[in-house]
Amino acid sequence: MSSNSFGRLLRVTTFGESHGPGIGCIVDGCPPGLPLSAEDIVPDLKRRATGKTRHTSQRREADAVTIQSGVFEGVTTGTPIALLIENTDARSKDYSNIKDQYRPGHADYTYDAKYGFRDYRGGGRSSARETTMRVAAGALARKYLAHHCGIEVQACVVQVGEQRAGTVDWSEVENNPFFAPDPDWVEPLEAYMDALRKSGDSAGARVDVVARGVPAGWGEPVYGKLDAELAAALMSINAVKGVEIGAGFASVEQPGSEHRDEITPEGFLSNHAGGVLGGISTGQDITASVAFKPTSSLRLPGVTIDRHGEPVEVVTKGRHDPCVGLRAPPIVEAMTLLVLMDQYLRHRAQNADVEPPFVIPPGGEHDR
Amino acid sequence: MSSNSFGRLLRVTTFGESHGPGIGCIVDGCPPGLPLSAEDIVPDLKRRATGKTRHTSQRREADAVTIQSGVFEGVTTGTPIALLIENTDARSKDYSNIKDQYRPGHADYTYDAKYGFRDYRGGGRSSARETTMRVAAGALARKYLAHHCGIEVQACVVQVGEQRAGTVDWSEVENNPFFAPDPDWVEPLEAYMDALRKSGDSAGARVDVVARGVPAGWGEPVYGKLDAELAAALMSINAVKGVEIGAGFASVEQPGSEHRDEITPEGFLSNHAGGVLGGISTGQDITASVAFKPTSSLRLPGVTIDRHGEPVEVVTKGRHDPCVGLRAPPIVEAMTLLVLMDQYLRHRAQNADVEPPFVIPPGGEHDR
Amino acid sequence: MSSNSFGRLLRVTTFGESHGPGIGCIVDGCPPGLPLSAEDIVPDLKRRATGKTRHTSQRREADAVTIQSGVFEGVTTGTPIALLIENTDARSKDYSNIKDQYRPGHADYTYDAKYGFRDYRGGGRSSARETTMRVAAGALARKYLAHHCGIEVQACVVQVGEQRAGTVDWSEVENNPFFAPDPDWVEPLEAYMDALRKSGDSAGARVDVVARGVPAGWGEPVYGKLDAELAAALMSINAVKGVEIGAGFASVEQPGSEHRDEITPEGFLSNHAGGVLGGISTGQDITASVAFKPTSSLRLPGVTIDRHGEPVEVVTKGRHDPCVGLRAPPIVEAMTLLVLMDQYLRHRAQNADVEPPFVIPPGGEHDR
Amino acid sequence: MSSNSFGRLLRVTTFGESHGPGIGCIVDGCPPGLPLSAEDIVPDLKRRATGKTRHTSQRREADAVTIQSGVFEGVTTGTPIALLIENTDARSKDYSNIKDQYRPGHADYTYDAKYGFRDYRGGGRSSARETTMRVAAGALARKYLAHHCGIEVQACVVQVGEQRAGTVDWSEVENNPFFAPDPDWVEPLEAYMDALRKSGDSAGARVDVVARGVPAGWGEPVYGKLDAELAAALMSINAVKGVEIGAGFASVEQPGSEHRDEITPEGFLSNHAGGVLGGISTGQDITASVAFKPTSSLRLPGVTIDRHGEPVEVVTKGRHDPCVGLRAPPIVEAMTLLVLMDQYLRHRAQNADVEPPFVIPPGGEHDR
C-alpha cells in the first residue's frame, strides 16, 4: 500500500518526484459545471513558487500547468481532471554527492528503511515539490467553494523563528513576500532572513489559517471529524510538526467557563473552539495554526552516516529555503480547501434534505 | 456518509450512544492466531473507567465486554471481531431539562445543524462514552503489537490547567489516579482538583504519549504519513484541540542546526523529530503531545439559546468530569496503537520483501 | 485485511459466525429522519428464514432483531445503526465429525489455506447465516428507497435444476414457498423438491431480480459502474457462480441492430441493456439474473481428504438446504437495494445540482 | 463522487477522454524493486490496439506510453507510477453530427442524465479508449505476478455472435488476430467478420479467461471475495453484460454430487468451482467467462431522440469495431491481473505469517 490519494468524495491523487520528468495529479469527484481553466490555477501556483525573492530557494520552475481531461468547453464534466506540470529546472547533479548519505532531519534514511533504496535526486518523492500539486488541486476547490458556498480561505505567517507578527491584519498578507499579516513586521523580517541566510542556518515558522463562510453542519462524527481531517491534512504537509484548532494548546490553561463559547440569538460570544464542536462546523470562522520545523538542508556541516553505516560529514549545497514556512500559506490554504470541499460533498450526500431548527449567526472573536 | 470507521487494514467501526442499550465495535482485519479473550481488554477499560475516584464523573459502568465473533477456541480467526458492552448506569432523566438547549462548548447545536435533531440523552453519539470502544479495540492492538513487534505505548498527563508535572518518570504513571508521571505532583494535583470541583469550573490538560520499539520504515507517504494519521487519530478524540509530534510547536523556535537529529553509527543524537521523518518511522521513540480543552459541562450558569433561538441560562447537572484529560491517557494510547497496527499491516503488504541497507540503532533523547 | 464491509456512503459491516453467540451489523451513513423499527426488518428476515417448509433447512432461528443504536424516538439520527440477532438454534455437535475434513465444494479448505485454521462449527463465517444481516440491512434500504425515490426491488426463482418457470408473473412470487413467479409451476416444483430431498442430492437455481423506479443517472463511471457494483454484490452471495445484467449472455448472439434499445420521445422501445448504459441507469427497469450452484452439503458420500492430507469419505449430516437458491430472493433483493441506496447517496453528493436536458420515459419490454 | 480508481492496495486511477489531449493512469502501491520500463507495457498495448486488421476500428494510435514517476534507475521505488499516452489520431469532426443525439445502446443519454451534459467527442470518458490504461496497468501486474508468484493469465475469444470455437487450445491464441483458441475456426471467423462488416451490423462475443498458478488462500470473505471482485472488474469493462466463474450458469443444472469438486491427496478431481470456494482461491486454475454485447455504433440507421426530446434517425459514421469482443482479451487479462495482485498484497498484509496445515495439489479439469 502507498497513500498518494487524499479525500473521499473529492479525491486527489498525486504523482511525481522532484527531479523526474514531471509531476501531476488526478482530481476525481468534482461536480460537473464548474468553469475551469489553467488560468484559475496559475495564481496559487505563483504564490507558492520558489525563486521570487532572495529569501526562498532559487529553483525557478515555470509551473506551466495543463489540464488533460475532465474539462470540456471550459467547464468540468464530472469525470477525472488530470493536471500536469513538467519539471524544467531540476539540477540532479547537485545531489550526487549526497546520494549515499542520510541527511539529518530528512527522509533519506526512512525511505531507505521502508523501500530498500530511494530516488535521491532532490529528495525524490519526499521533496516539497509534491506540494505544487496540492496547491493546484486546492485552486480548483477554492473556485468551487467560492462560487457555490461563498467560502474564503486565507493563511498567513505569524511567526518565524523567535520573530512574531505584532498584529494580524488579513488584508496585508498579500502585500509582501512573507505572507506577513503585519506591515510593520516586514522590514525586521527581511533583516532576519538576510542574517539567517548568511548564517547558513534555518528557521521554523508558524502559519495561521482561517476559513470564512463555512455553514454549520459540515464534518462527520466520529472518525471523520472536520478538525481531525484538517489535522491530518495539515500534518501531511512536509515539515509540519504541530496543529492546533481554535485556541489549541492554550485551551489547556483556559477554565471551562472561559473556553466554552457562549451563545446568544445574535451569535456566539467568542470562538475559542475554532469553529468546530463535536467535529462539526458551528458556522463561525474555522481557525487553525500550524508549526513548521526549520529546514534540515543547511550549509552548516552536520554529523551523519552513509548507507553503509559509516560516519560522514554532510553539507547541503543545492538550492534550499532557509525557512520553508515562508512558502507554506498557499499549501496550508490548499489542504484546508480540499478538506472543506470533500466534507461539503459528504455532508450533502447524507444530509441534503435536512432543515436545521435554528441557524445561529456566526459572530465571536477568535483567538487567532 | 458518516464516518464511524477507523483504519484501513485494521478497521474499527464503532456504534452506540451514551444512553442507548449498549455500545460496541467491529474490528476487521486482525491477523489470525492471536490469543484473545475479554480478560485482555478489561484492564484498559478499567483504566479509562469513570467513578474510580472523586475526581472523575460518578457514572459507574460495569463495562463488561463480550466477544461476539472472530475468536474460536481462544484465538482470533481472521474474521471480524465484534465487541459489545451494555449500558447499565445511564440516567436519562438527568438530561431532560437540557433537551432543547444548546449547551455552550458542546456538540448539541452542531448535531442539530447537521442532522436536524439529535439524541440528547447524555450527549448521544457525541458522548465520550464512545471512546470506551476505542480503548477496547486498542487493547487488541496492544496485545498484537507487543507479541509480534515488541512495541509498547504509554501516555501520561503532564499538565492540568496551569499545573505542570515537574518530571516525567514513566514508571510512576500507573501509581496514581491521575496518570501523573511525577510522584511529587500527585498531592498538589489532588488539592487542585478538589478546589476545581468545588468551584464548579473545569480545566484542560496536556497528555503526552510515547511508542517504544517501532522499527524504522512504518508510515506511508504522502497522505498516509504516520504522523498525519496519528494527528487525525488523536484529534478525533473528544475535547482535543491540538496535536504535536516530537518537538511540535517548539520546533518553530529551534534553529535547523539544533532541530535536525544528527546520526552516528551508534544511533541518533537527539529526537526532536518525534521518531518520524517524511511521514515514516525512524526507529526511535515516537512521541506526541495532545491538548484537551476544559469540559464544557459546568455547574456554573452560562448564556445560550434553545432550539427555537430563544435565550436561556444553562446549568449542567448530570455527572461530569471536571477535567476530561484525566481519563484520556488510555484513549490516547488506544488511538496510537490502532494507527501503529494499521500501518504495520500496510507496510508489510507493500514492503514485506524489503531489506534495508542499514539499521540505525534508535538512541536519542527526546523532547518529551 | 479482511473485507466485511459493503458500500461506500451507505456502509454495512457485518460480523458473526453460524454457531457463535450471535450475528450483527453496523449500517453507517443512513440519512437522518427515516422512521425505523425492528418491525420494518422482520418481514424480510421471515422471507429468508429456514424451517418454514420441508424444502429448506430445518434450523429454526427466532431471528429476533434488535436495534442497538442510531434510532431515537423511532427515527434514524444519522449515526451508525447497529442490528443484533442472537443465535438460538445452533447445534454444534452436528459438526464435530467433519471438523478435520475438507468438505468438497465448501470453504473448509480455503479458510484453512488462508488463515491456518477455522471455526468449523456450521461453516463458521462462511455460513449462509451471514446473509441474514444482509437482509436486515437491505430492509432498511428498502424502506428508504421506497419512501424517498419510489423504488421497488423484487426477485424470484425462475429455474431449479432443469426445471424452469413457464411464465414470470411478479404478482405471484409471494404466494408460494418457492418465490416462484408461475403458479402452475409450484406443484411440479414441490414434487421435484421432494424427490431431490429423498435422493440426498442437491440442485442449483436461477434467480431473477428487477428494480423498478430507479431514475436515470445513478451509477459511476468507470470502476464504480452500477452494473459492476451489482455484479460484485450479487457474486458475493454464497453459492453464486454467475451474474447477468439485462440480456446477459444472450447478448452475445444478438445482432447490434437488435440489442441496442432504440428510443422515441415516448420511451425506450426495448430493454436489452437491463436499464444500465455506460454503468449509469437509464430510468428503465434494472434487471439482473443470478446463478446459484447446488449445495455441496449432501447426504451422498463423497471423496475428500482431511487436514493432514489423508483421504476420507465425507457424508454431511446436519441440517441443510437441498437448494439454497430457494431462499435466495430476499438476499438478492437486499444486495440490490444496498447497491442502489449507496449509489443514490453518491449521485447526490456529486450531482445534486444537475438538471438533465431531457428525461426519457422508461418503457421498453425487457428480456427478463 | 466519481469512481475512477480501482483496487485497494494496488490502486489504479485513470483519466482521459477519447479525444482529449491524452490519457493516463497512476498506479499506487506497487512494491519497490520491480524492474519496469515502457517496453514491459508496449506488448500488451499492441495486443489491444485498433487498426491492426480490417476487422477492428481503423483508428491508429501510437500508444507511446511514458513512465512519469515511481521508477528510478529502471526499478520501481514504491512511490506512485504515472503512465501517460498522448492521443494522436482523434478525429473529433467525425462526431459533430451526433453531438446532440442519444445514440441507442450508448452512454450518451445516461451521461447527460447524470452530469447535465457531456464531452461527445468519440464518447468522451465512456469510450473504450479508457481501457488502454487498464491494459497498461495490467502489464505491470502481469510482470510482478509472473516474477514473484509464477502466475500467468490468459484470455481468448470462444464465441462471436453465433459462431463458437470448436476447441480451446491456449497455445493457439496469439497466432491469429482474433485471440481464437481454435486454428480451424480462424478462417470461418474471417469470413463471418467480413460479412458482418459489409452488413453494417455488429456482433457480441464471449471471452474466457484463466489464471494459472494462483496459490490457495487469496481472496477475502465476505464482501471482498476473489470472485466478487473479479465480477466487478470484468463487468466494469465497456460492453460487458455477464460474468461467470467456473461452471457459471451451467451449475444451475448440475446436481450437487457432480458440481462439488472432490478431493484426493493428489489433487482436486474437477474444477467446476473455477478455482474459488467461499471467495478464496483453491490453488486450482481460476476460470471465468465474460459476455460482450454487440457494438451499438452501427452504419444501419436507428430510431432515437436528441437532447431536446425530438425524434431523429441516427447513423454512426466514425471508425468503429463491428465486434468489440475481438479486442477484449488483453483487457480481460488486465482486470484479472489487477484483481489478483491487489488480493495478493491484501492477503500478505493480514496473513503473512500463516502456515496452512496441508496444501492440495491443483489438478482438476475445468469447464472452460
Side-chain angles (χ1 to χ4, degrees), chain C residues 6-7 12 130-131 133-135 137-138 141 153 209 229-230 232-237 329-341, chain D residues 222-223:
Chain C
F6 181 79
V12 178
E130 189 270 343
T131 60
M133 297 320 302
R134 303 183 184 218
V135 171
V153 171
V209 62
E229 297 207 343
L230 209 44
L234 297 173
M235 194 68 91
S236 79
I237 301 173
I331 309 168
V332 167
E333 292 170 5
M335 295 312 290
T336 304
L337 287 157
L338 292 171
V339 167
L340 287 172
M341 183 166 168
Chain D
V222 175
Y223 300 106

Side-chain angles (χ1 to χ4, degrees), chain C residues 3-5 236, chain D residues 8 219-229 279 343 346:
Chain C
S3 296
N4 295 281
S5 294
S236 79
Chain D
R8 298 196 190 180
E220 290 190 342
V222 175
Y223 300 106
K225 283 177 174 161
L226 182 52
D227 41 357
E229 297 205 344
Q343 287 276 8
R346 287 150 67 174

Side-chain angles (χ1 to χ4, degrees), chain A residues 176-197:
Chain A
N176 63 78
F178 302 116
F179 299 101
D182 173 1
D184 297 338
W185 189 42
V186 175
E187 213 176 282
L189 205 47
E190 286 203 318
Y192 178 86
M193 288 303 300
D194 284 338
L196 182 70
R197 212 167 51 251

Side-chain angles (χ1 to χ4, degrees), chain A residues 1-6 8-9 12 14 102 104-107 109-116 125 130 134 159 161-162 164 201-206 216-225 227-228 231-232 235-238 240-245 248-249 251-257 259-265 268-269 272-274 276-278 280-282 289-296 298 300-305 307-309 311 314 335 346-347 349-351 354-360, chain B residues 1-6 8-9 12 14 102 104-107 109-116 125 130 134 159 161-162 164 201-206 216-225 227-228 231-232 235-238 240-245 248-249 251-257 259-265 268-269 272-274 276-278 280-282 289-296 298 300-305 307-309 311 314 335 346-347 349-351 354-360:
Chain A
M1 197 172 189
S2 185
S3 295
N4 295 282
S5 295
F6 181 77
R8 300 197 188 179
L9 297 199
V12 178
T14 69
Y102 294 141
H106 279 85
Y109 170 62
T110 56
Y111 269 65
D112 262 21
K114 184 168 196 72
Y115 300 119
R125 181 69 180 153
E130 189 270 344
R134 303 183 184 219
Q159 184 177 357
E162 292 175 353
R164 292 165 201 250
D201 212 329
S202 64
R206 181 190 272 265
W218 293 13
E220 290 189 342
V222 176
Y223 299 106
K225 284 175 174 162
D227 41 358
M235 194 68 90
S236 80
I237 300 173
N238 304 33
V240 172
K241 301 305 288 181
V243 177
E244 296 183 315
I245 305 294
F249 281 90
S251 66
V252 173
E253 303 198 0
Q254 289 172 328
S257 55
H259 179 84
R260 61 173 175 180
D261 302 309
E262 292 183 303
I263 312 170
T264 71
F268 291 89
L269 295 180
H272 302 298
V276 186
L277 286 173
I280 303 172
S281 60
T282 63
S289 190
V290 188
F292 286 83
K293 69 174 187 182
T295 325
S296 301
L298 309 180
L300 302 179
V303 166
T304 192
I305 61 169
R307 311 180 85 225
H308 314 294
V314 69
M335 295 312 290
R346 286 150 68 174
H347 178 63
Q350 188 186 20
N351 301 302
V354 167
E355 290 189 31
F358 183 79
V359 176
I360 304 178
Chain B
M1 196 172 190
S2 184
S3 295
N4 295 281
S5 295
F6 181 78
R8 298 197 190 180
L9 298 200
V12 178
T14 69
Y102 293 141
H106 279 85
Y109 170 62
T110 56
Y111 269 65
D112 261 22
K114 184 169 196 70
Y115 301 119
R125 182 69 180 153
E130 189 270 343
R134 303 182 184 219
Q159 185 178 356
E162 293 175 352
R164 292 166 201 249
D201 213 329
S202 64
R206 182 191 271 263
W218 294 12
E220 290 189 343
V222 176
Y223 300 106
K225 283 177 173 161
D227 41 358
M235 194 68 90
S236 79
I237 300 173
N238 304 34
V240 171
K241 300 305 288 182
V243 177
E244 296 183 315
I245 305 294
F249 281 90
S251 66
V252 173
E253 303 198 0
Q254 289 172 329
S257 55
H259 179 85
R260 61 173 175 179
D261 302 307
E262 291 183 304
I263 312 171
T264 72
F268 291 89
L269 295 180
H272 302 297
V276 187
L277 286 173
I280 304 172
S281 60
T282 63
S289 190
V290 188
F292 285 83
K293 71 175 186 182
T295 326
S296 301
L298 309 180
L300 302 178
V303 165
T304 193
I305 60 168
R307 311 180 86 225
H308 315 293
V314 69
M335 294 314 289
R346 286 150 67 175
H347 178 64
Q350 190 185 19
N351 301 302
V354 167
E355 290 189 32
F358 182 78
V359 175
I360 304 179

Side-chain angles (χ1 to χ4, degrees), chain C residues 195-208:
Chain C
L196 181 70
R197 213 167 51 252
K198 264 168 219 152
S199 75
D201 213 328
S202 65
R206 182 191 270 265
V207 172
D208 280 5

Side-chain angles (χ1 to χ4, degrees), chain A residues 68 72, chain D residues 16-23 50 57-63 85-96 119-125 127 129-130 132 318-320:
Chain A
Q68 295 286 310
F72 181 58
Chain D
E17 278 81 38
S18 181
H19 289 210
I23 57 176
T50 47
S57 162
Q58 293 306 297
R59 179 169 175 174
R60 283 192 171 80
E61 282 291 349
D63 283 350
I85 294 177
E86 265 185 82
N87 286 333
T88 56
D89 188 28
R91 299 188 195 159
S92 299
K93 63 178 167 8
D94 287 354
Y95 295 91
S96 52
D119 177 352
Y120 54 79
R121 301 163 306 163
R125 183 68 181 153
S127 164
R129 179 109 187 100
E130 189 270 344
T132 311
R319 299 162 297 180
H320 292 283

